[in-house]
Amino acid sequence: MKIKKGDHVSIISGKDKGKSGKTIEVFLKTKRVLVEGVNIRKKHVKPKKEGEKGQIVQTPCSIHISNVKLICPKCNKATRVGHKVVEKRKFRICKKCKAEI
C-alpha cells in the first residue's frame, strides 16, 4: 500500500474534500485509512448507571484509500506516490518533485 501510518494526507473527494490530516491507522484488507479530524461520526450513548447522563460521543470513521492523496513533505502538494529501487532498497518518491518520502 502506498500510504502508511503517520503520513500527512489530503482528502480529494467526499464530504470532507479539501481537509488534511495525519493517518492514524491503515486497514490493509479493506483498503481503508483512518485520518484524524476527518469523517467524524456522532454516536448517542445511553446512561449505564442510575443518575448518570447520556451523552453524544464523536468517533472518527475510516475512509477509502482512493479518496486520499499523500502530501509531499518537500513541496507541500498533494501528489501520487511512486517507487524507486536503488541498490536493493525500495523507497517511495513524490511524482511531482521526485523527492524521497
Side-chain angles (χ1 to χ4, degrees):
M1 193 159 304
K2 295 181 179 185
I3 293 174
K4 296 179 180 179
K5 181 180 176 179
D7 285 342
H8 194 68
V9 294
S10 175
I11 309 302
I12 58 171
S13 68
K15 69 172 189 165
D16 293 319
K17 181 179 180 178
K19 290 185 181 179
S20 63
K22 187 177 169 185
T23 55
I24 301 168
E25 196 172 347
V26 178
F27 305 103
L28 295 173
K29 288 185 179 178
T30 56
K31 295 184 180 177
R32 297 178 80 81
V33 290
L34 196 63
V35 182
E36 67 180 17
V38 176
N39 202 19
I40 303 294
R41 298 282 185 239
K42 290 185 179 180
K43 182 179 179 182
H44 295 262
V45 180
K46 286 185 175 182
K48 294 186 178 166
K49 296 178 184 174
E50 201 172 308
E52 191 177 291
K53 287 187 174 181
Q55 56 186 348
I56 300 171
V57 178
Q58 293 184 341
T59 57
C61 292
S62 63
I63 188 169
H64 197 266
I65 198 100
S66 65
N67 298 330
V68 166
K69 262 192 177 179
L70 183 74
I71 295 177
C72 176
K74 186 177 178 188
C75 61
N76 289 326
K77 294 180 183 175
T79 181
R80 292 179 296 139
V81 179
H83 291 284
K84 193 173 186 178
V85 179
V86 176
E87 297 176 7
K88 296 183 181 179
R89 200 187 94 161
K90 185 177 180 180
F91 55 90
R92 300 181 298 163
I93 60 166
C94 170
K95 285 283 194 172
K96 289 188 177 180
C97 66
K98 308 292 186 213
E100 185 178 335
I101 297 172

